[in-house]
Amino acid sequence: MDGFELQSGRKHDSRRTRANILAAASRLFAEKGYSAANISDIADLAQTTKPMIYYHFGNKEALFAAVLEDVYAQMREIERAVPMADVPARAAMRTLVEATFDYHAAHPDWVRLIAVANIHDAQHIQQLPTIAAQNAAVLAILDGLLQRGVAEGVFRSGIDPLHVHLLISAFCFHRVSNRHSWRLVFQRDLVEAEEAARQREVVVEAVLRYLS
Amino acid sequence: MDGFELQSGRKHDSRRTRANILAAASRLFAEKGYSAANISDIADLAQTTKPMIYYHFGNKEALFAAVLEDVYAQMREIERAVPMADVPARAAMRTLVEATFDYHAAHPDWVRLIAVANIHDAQHIQQLPTIAAQNAAVLAILDGLLQRGVAEGVFRSGIDPLHVHLLISAFCFHRVSNRHSWRLVFQRDLVEAEEAARQREVVVEAVLRYLS
Amino acid sequence: MDGFELQSGRKHDSRRTRANILAAASRLFAEKGYSAANISDIADLAQTTKPMIYYHFGNKEALFAAVLEDVYAQMREIERAVPMADVPARAAMRTLVEATFDYHAAHPDWVRLIAVANIHDAQHIQQLPTIAAQNAAVLAILDGLLQRGVAEGVFRSGIDPLHVHLLISAFCFHRVSNRHSWRLVFQRDLVEAEEAARQREVVVEAVLRYLS
Amino acid sequence: MDGFELQSGRKHDSRRTRANILAAASRLFAEKGYSAANISDIADLAQTTKPMIYYHFGNKEALFAAVLEDVYAQMREIERAVPMADVPARAAMRTLVEATFDYHAAHPDWVRLIAVANIHDAQHIQQLPTIAAQNAAVLAILDGLLQRGVAEGVFRSGIDPLHVHLLISAFCFHRVSNRHSWRLVFQRDLVEAEEAARQREVVVEAVLRYLS
DNA sequence: AATGAATGAGTTTTCATTCAT
DNA sequence: TATGAATGAAAACTCATTCAT
């Protein structure tokens, strides 16, 4: 789960203040959405003052953009989980799917922030020029895996990596982002531990079967 | 695509006013999210006044709940698309997946409203007592299809209908709800027509292979 | 002197509220300048609330523009003081100068508001499309007087009405607008009654001599 | 026209910093008025920091007072332009009027600063004890000129020097201070070169005729 | 003499909601 | 049913000023 921790230390410490604001903003934007989260609450949670937020980030929109940048950067740890060349393609793919599943499961705030950003047409992501370059990496990894799988004779050819990524991401994201409506409509908590374990197998299975 | 149309007619027509408010609210909540959409704009778009909104719906939260109720009811048309007993299970399943895909594609506002509701922990859906009963229907249909498929020898047994529904919904929902972040991160528009046609095949294929 | 009086009456009276806001704003913008006058104080002085100001005028800039429009309209009473055709040109000119002098003397707030508007490059006056048409009237009157004077043989010809207007206005305006700096620099209060009477003769004399 | 130039040089130069702050403050107070000009912008324009402004001037009010002091001191150059005893009174008076006209024309910022000071009831000028002594000089000069003119038989007697000064100053000041409202109301730019040349003749003429 | 970081109080503006008619 | 006017609370943002270094 996402933790929220403040750093503390001496009186004038720009870096710490900035980090605390970012953490608080991340938490509250995720919890309440962009508009409902307010600068006062963020300042309080960050144990600082409103003007400090403006001093460090300029305005609310830029703060949200900074939160998204921060959060997108953290997500890249998924890629690190994926085994490289020496593992068979199927096993590597399984690991990638599981890592993706686990990351979403462990970071519901991340999921909610992306959902919030999309409600606002991802306008704040647009302000982050490096986002595209950073995240396209997943597609390259997937492409490599697919090619290896074809070479090993375990995957079909002609599969679009983006479609595989969509198949995986959609599932992992949705069960977190739409947890609450599903709970009410279908009376089952998608996020509860045993259910989660079963779903983890479902995506892996679905992806591997799709590729075979 | 979702249309927004006002009804017009005689000066004082309570039913029409109510419907116009609902349409306007639906549009604006979908466009801007719950908090950023405001009662004044809704009144203007509905060509009525703020007190009328309070007269008909009580308050903003209840208005949003009413919008969700309205929108959930409309979605039930998916089920009507699914062929009944006389069609082979695989073909029927394909039709169900395609109908789900098409519904999401044709109603982005619906998708956004559900996303917005989830940002607010689906608290407004909770106020709708009949939601569960109405929507569980999909699961029953899916369950029937799965059993028929097993009987026909085309599907595996032991599959949870909820998981199949999640597999389908997640994909169909995500490509619409997260369109904007994907566009920026991967530089491809998931909703563009040709791409959409390919994705439609992807879900169908993924689901059928998962079940086989 | 400018009076400040509030109207009172029944609870919901749009016209009265608007008039009170205008009066309060007029007073405070004149007293403190555009930026230093604040909406809160204006609301208090007008015995209403901030949102009412926004309801009636939109924003601070538009409120200031409305004040200027109001105040420019009132000034047109100077023209009414000027005797028409049947009075000899010199006498009529004297009356016009005196009326101008008296108007400025009696409405220091008017003077200050124009000064404030000019500090802000008269941007708020620019938003008032009818201003030019209304106020050009003075020039027409002056032009008529000048021609009559020439015909009567009491004024020189070839005089630009705008220059005469500038000669008159500058004097009448300055003694009010710059009263305080003059008091401190020259230790004489330009606005004090006896002094004022002498100055009134000075402008009349200066203008008539300039025209002769 | 008023120039704005920063001095540059070694890193720590108290005198230079002070001068730069004064120049920046002068520019911004003139441009935006007292309240709308802010310390941050002044610091930026002066290429220094806010605490430096407080170090050198104490607070915003004192800074404005310092600007006014500075600017009043510069104005005394008008007096230097006036020819002394050996020139005939009419010619000397003409020179004085022209010098006054030119000074105002060349220093619109000076004009605006005085206007701004008056909006705030010249409270900041009041903090400058030497202002009166310095500026009363003009009246002495005028008085001398008037007496010489009477002696030479070219001026009337019994004229108050202050009234002459007012007649001159008002005209020269007004065409600059109220330029923008006049432009909008009368559609003529009082400051444009040819128009300015004509007006210069107008004041000279008006003053000389008033005195004759 | 100089700076980056911090603060408290205030500013304009918005908004859900209600009153009076 | 319907409306124009009103309100209380809060929102984002600013600013003169000071602290810590």
Side-chain angles (χ1 to χ4, degrees):
Chain A
M1 287 296 148
D2 305 69
F4 171 75
E5 275 169 68
L6 288 182
Q7 297 173 252
S8 61
R10 36 183 245 292
K11 244 348 180 12
H12 283 70
D13 181 343
S14 178
R15 192 123 51 139
R16 179 173 51 80
T17 303
R18 210 193 115 97
N20 286 347
I21 291 171
L22 221 42
S26 195
R27 165 56 48 99
L28 289 176
F29 282 134
E31 199 169 306
K32 312 189 163 186
Y34 176 73
S35 304
N38 64 281
I39 297 289
S40 269
D41 288 352
I42 293 171
D44 289 351
L45 186 56
Q47 284 175 317
T48 181
T49 59
K50 283 181 283 173
M52 272 299 94
I53 295 179
Y54 289 91
Y55 179 76
H56 283 287
F57 295 94
N59 60 29
K60 191 183 182 183
E61 300 224 321
L63 174 60
F64 187 45
V67 164
L68 290 172
E69 183 163 39
D70 194 42
V71 114
Y72 260 113
Q74 287 169 28
M75 184 199 49
R76 302 210 57 211
E77 78 179 44
I78 294 180
E79 299 156 24
R80 268 172 257 134
V82 187
M84 289 305 136
D86 48 349
V87 177
R90 275 185 64 94
M93 182 63 78
R94 166 178 283 273
T95 305
L96 175 59
V97 176
E98 288 174 348
T100 306
F101 185 95
D102 294 344
Y103 190 87
H104 285 77
H107 300 89
D109 274 7
W110 182 86
V111 170
R112 294 174 66 99
L113 287 168
I114 304 298
V116 168
N118 273 290
I119 288 300
H120 296 276
D121 296 350
Q123 283 161 6
H124 308 86
I125 297 177
Q126 203 154 12
Q127 297 165 36
L128 306 173
T130 61
I131 282 298
Q134 284 179 16
N135 287 79
V138 202
L139 291 192
I141 290 174
L142 262 174
D143 196 35
L145 276 184
L146 289 175
Q147 288 182 25
R148 262 169 57 206
V150 172
E152 292 174 16
V154 296
F155 292 161
R156 298 189 274 153
S157 67
I159 301 269
D160 186 334
L162 191 88
H163 291 162
V164 182
H165 188 48
L166 181 56
L167 194 58
I168 302 168
S169 293
F171 192 96
C172 298
F173 193 100
H174 200 79
R175 55 182 291 281
V176 176
S177 69
N178 287 34
R179 172 191 190 182
H180 292 106
S181 57
W182 280 64
R183 177 172 47 80
L184 291 167
V185 171
F186 301 114
Q187 261 103 330
R188 255 167 83 180
D189 185 355
L190 300 182
V191 163
E192 172 267 324
E194 285 185 41
E195 177 57 41
R198 281 192 293 275
Q199 285 170 33
R200 196 166 182 260
E201 266 314 295
V202 170
V203 224
V204 170
E205 198 67 13
V207 170
L208 291 181
R209 281 168 183 265
Y210 176 69
L211 298 177
S212 301
Chain B
M1 287 299 147
D2 306 67
F4 169 76
E5 275 171 70
L6 289 181
Q7 296 173 254
S8 59
R10 342 192 292 286
K11 212 45 190 315
H12 285 212
D13 180 341
S14 180
R15 189 113 52 121
R16 181 172 51 79
T17 301
R18 208 194 117 96
N20 285 347
I21 291 171
L22 219 45
S26 193
R27 166 55 49 100
L28 289 176
F29 282 134
E31 200 168 305
K32 311 187 164 190
Y34 176 72
S35 304
N38 62 282
I39 298 288
S40 266
D41 288 352
I42 293 171
D44 290 352
L45 186 56
Q47 287 175 317
T48 181
T49 59
K50 285 180 282 177
M52 275 299 95
I53 294 180
Y54 287 88
Y55 177 77
H56 282 288
F57 296 92
N59 60 27
K60 192 182 181 181
E61 301 226 320
L63 174 60
F64 187 46
V67 164
L68 289 171
E69 183 163 40
D70 194 42
V71 115
Y72 260 114
Q74 286 170 29
M75 185 198 51
R76 302 210 57 212
E77 77 179 44
I78 294 180
E79 298 156 23
R80 266 171 257 134
V82 187
M84 289 304 135
D86 47 349
V87 176
R90 274 184 66 94
M93 181 63 76
R94 168 179 281 273
T95 306
L96 176 58
V97 175
E98 289 174 349
T100 306
F101 185 96
D102 294 344
Y103 189 86
H104 285 77
H107 299 87
D109 274 8
W110 181 85
V111 170
R112 293 175 67 98
L113 286 167
I114 303 298
V116 169
N118 274 288
I119 288 300
H120 296 275
D121 296 351
Q123 282 160 8
H124 308 86
I125 297 177
Q126 203 154 13
Q127 298 164 36
L128 305 173
T130 61
I131 281 297
Q134 282 180 16
N135 287 79
V138 203
L139 290 192
I141 291 175
L142 260 175
D143 196 36
L145 274 184
L146 288 175
Q147 288 182 26
R148 260 169 59 209
V150 172
E152 292 174 18
V154 295
F155 291 162
R156 299 189 272 152
S157 68
I159 302 265
D160 186 333
L162 191 87
H163 292 162
V164 182
H165 188 47
L166 181 55
L167 193 58
I168 302 169
S169 293
F171 192 97
C172 297
F173 193 99
H174 200 80
R175 57 181 291 282
V176 176
S177 68
N178 287 34
R179 171 191 190 181
H180 292 107
S181 57
W182 280 64
R183 176 173 48 79
L184 292 167
V185 171
F186 301 113
Q187 261 106 329
R188 256 166 84 179
D189 184 356
L190 301 181
V191 162
E192 172 267 325
E194 285 185 39
E195 178 58 42
R198 280 192 293 274
Q199 286 170 31
R200 197 168 182 257
E201 266 314 294
V202 171
V203 225
V204 170
E205 198 69 11
V207 170
L208 291 181
R209 281 170 183 262
Y210 176 69
L211 297 176
S212 299
Chain C
M1 287 296 149
D2 306 69
F4 171 75
E5 275 169 67
L6 289 181
Q7 295 173 252
S8 60
R10 35 184 246 292
K11 244 346 178 17
H12 283 70
D13 182 343
S14 178
R15 193 124 49 141
R16 180 173 50 81
T17 303
R18 211 192 115 96
N20 286 348
I21 291 170
L22 222 43
S26 196
R27 165 56 49 101
L28 289 175
F29 281 135
E31 199 168 306
K32 311 187 164 189
Y34 176 73
S35 304
N38 64 281
I39 298 287
S40 271
D41 288 351
I42 293 170
D44 289 352
L45 186 57
Q47 284 175 315
T48 181
T49 59
K50 284 180 282 174
M52 272 298 96
I53 295 179
Y54 288 89
Y55 179 77
H56 283 286
F57 296 93
N59 59 29
K60 192 182 180 183
E61 301 224 322
L63 173 59
F64 187 46
V67 164
L68 289 172
E69 182 163 39
D70 195 42
V71 113
Y72 260 114
Q74 286 169 28
M75 184 198 50
R76 301 208 58 210
E77 76 180 44
I78 294 179
E79 299 157 23
R80 267 171 257 135
V82 187
M84 288 305 135
D86 47 348
V87 177
R90 274 183 65 94
M93 182 64 77
R94 165 178 284 271
T95 305
L96 175 60
V97 175
E98 288 174 348
T100 305
F101 185 97
D102 293 344
Y103 189 86
H104 284 77
H107 301 88
D109 274 8
W110 181 87
V111 170
R112 294 175 66 98
L113 287 168
I114 303 299
V116 168
N118 274 289
I119 288 299
H120 296 276
D121 296 350
Q123 284 161 6
H124 307 86
I125 297 176
Q126 202 154 13
Q127 298 165 35
L128 306 173
T130 59
I131 281 299
Q134 282 179 17
N135 287 79
V138 201
L139 291 191
I141 291 174
L142 261 174
D143 196 36
L145 276 185
L146 289 175
Q147 289 183 26
R148 262 169 57 209
V150 172
E152 291 175 17
V154 296
F155 292 161
R156 299 189 274 150
S157 68
I159 301 268
D160 187 334
L162 190 88
H163 291 162
V164 182
H165 188 48
L166 182 55
L167 193 58
I168 302 169
S169 294
F171 192 97
C172 298
F173 193 99
H174 201 80
R175 56 182 292 281
V176 176
S177 69
N178 287 32
R179 173 192 188 182
H180 293 105
S181 56
W182 280 64
R183 177 173 46 80
L184 291 166
V185 172
F186 300 113
Q187 262 103 330
R188 255 166 84 179
D189 184 357
L190 300 181
V191 162
E192 173 268 324
E194 284 186 41
E195 177 58 41
R198 280 192 293 275
Q199 286 169 31
R200 196 168 183 257
E201 266 314 297
V202 170
V203 224
V204 170
E205 198 67 13
V207 170
L208 291 181
R209 282 170 182 264
Y210 176 69
L211 297 176
S212 300
Chain D
M1 288 297 147
D2 304 68
F4 170 75
E5 276 170 69
L6 289 181
Q7 296 173 255
S8 58
R10 343 193 293 289
K11 212 51 189 311
H12 285 214
D13 180 342
S14 181
R15 189 113 51 116
R16 181 173 51 79
T17 301
R18 207 193 117 95
N20 285 348
I21 291 171
L22 219 45
S26 192
R27 165 55 49 100
L28 289 176
F29 282 134
E31 199 167 306
K32 312 187 162 188
Y34 176 73
S35 305
N38 63 281
I39 298 288
S40 266
D41 288 352
I42 293 170
D44 289 352
L45 186 57
Q47 286 176 318
T48 182
T49 60
K50 285 181 282 175
M52 276 298 95
I53 295 179
Y54 286 89
Y55 177 77
H56 283 286
F57 296 93
N59 60 27
K60 192 183 181 182
E61 302 225 319
L63 174 59
F64 187 46
V67 165
L68 290 172
E69 182 163 38
D70 194 43
V71 114
Y72 259 115
Q74 286 169 29
M75 185 197 50
R76 303 209 56 211
E77 78 180 43
I78 294 179
E79 298 156 24
R80 267 172 256 135
V82 188
M84 288 305 135
D86 48 347
V87 177
R90 275 185 64 94
M93 182 64 77
R94 166 178 282 271
T95 305
L96 174 61
V97 175
E98 289 175 347
T100 305
F101 185 96
D102 294 343
Y103 190 86
H104 285 78
H107 300 87
D109 274 7
W110 180 86
V111 170
R112 293 175 67 99
L113 286 168
I114 304 298
V116 168
N118 274 289
I119 289 300
H120 296 276
D121 296 351
Q123 282 159 8
H124 308 85
I125 297 177
Q126 202 154 13
Q127 298 165 35
L128 305 171
T130 60
I131 282 296
Q134 281 179 17
N135 288 79
V138 203
L139 291 192
I141 291 174
L142 261 175
D143 196 36
L145 274 184
L146 289 175
Q147 288 181 26
R148 262 168 58 207
V150 173
E152 292 175 17
V154 295
F155 293 161
R156 299 189 273 152
S157 67
I159 302 266
D160 187 333
L162 191 87
H163 291 163
V164 182
H165 188 48
L166 181 55
L167 193 58
I168 302 168
S169 293
F171 192 96
C172 297
F173 193 99
H174 200 81
R175 57 181 291 280
V176 176
S177 68
N178 287 33
R179 172 191 189 181
H180 292 107
S181 57
W182 280 65
R183 177 173 46 81
L184 291 167
V185 171
F186 300 115
Q187 261 106 327
R188 254 166 86 179
D189 184 356
L190 300 182
V191 162
E192 173 266 325
E194 285 186 39
E195 177 59 41
R198 281 194 291 275
Q199 285 170 32
R200 197 167 183 259
E201 267 313 296
V202 171
V203 225
V204 170
E205 198 69 12
V207 171
L208 292 180
R209 281 170 183 262
Y210 175 69
L211 297 177
S212 300

